[in-house]
Amino acid sequence: VNPDNTKVEEAMTQVPYRVEGTTTLSSVLNEMAEHKYGSVLVLKGEQVEGIFTTHDALTLLAKSIG
């Protein structure tokens, strides 16, 4: 893939992993690990509230182990 000639829509995930903000963290982490997802769209209804990433997960892990 040539990044100078490739459009984002050609490289993006067509159907991203999505969850409601009320979904438990453990459920999201298990799904991310099982399917090797790097990020999750967090929704409130149809509105995007944010994006949870593997970086976010690692930050939480690092804080929890001190």
Side-chain angles (χ1 to χ4, degrees), residues 5-26:
N5 298 335
T6 304
K7 296 179 183 175
V8 172
E9 65 185 9
E10 296 169 12
M12 70 182 191
T13 300
Q14 296 294 321
V15 182
Y17 176 43
R18 303 171 300 223
V19 298
E20 286 288 324
T22 56
T23 306
T24 64
L25 184 58
S26 63

Side-chain angles (χ1 to χ4, degrees), residues 45-59:
E46 294 295 316
Q47 286 291 112
V48 175
E49 287 193 305
I51 301 171
F52 182 79
T53 67
T54 51
H55 180 268
D56 298 323
L58 289 171
T59 298

Side-chain angles (χ1 to χ4, degrees), residues 37-52:
Y37 295 140
S39 61
V40 181
L41 287 179
V42 181
L43 306 176
K44 184 174 186 176
E46 294 295 316
Q47 286 291 112
V48 175
E49 287 193 305
I51 301 171
F52 182 79

Side-chain angles (χ1 to χ4, degrees), residues 26-43:
S26 63
S27 173
V28 171
L29 293 173
N30 286 328
E31 194 75 12
M32 289 177 76
E34 182 177 335
H35 298 284
K36 299 181 181 178
Y37 295 140
S39 61
V40 181
L41 287 179
V42 181
L43 306 176

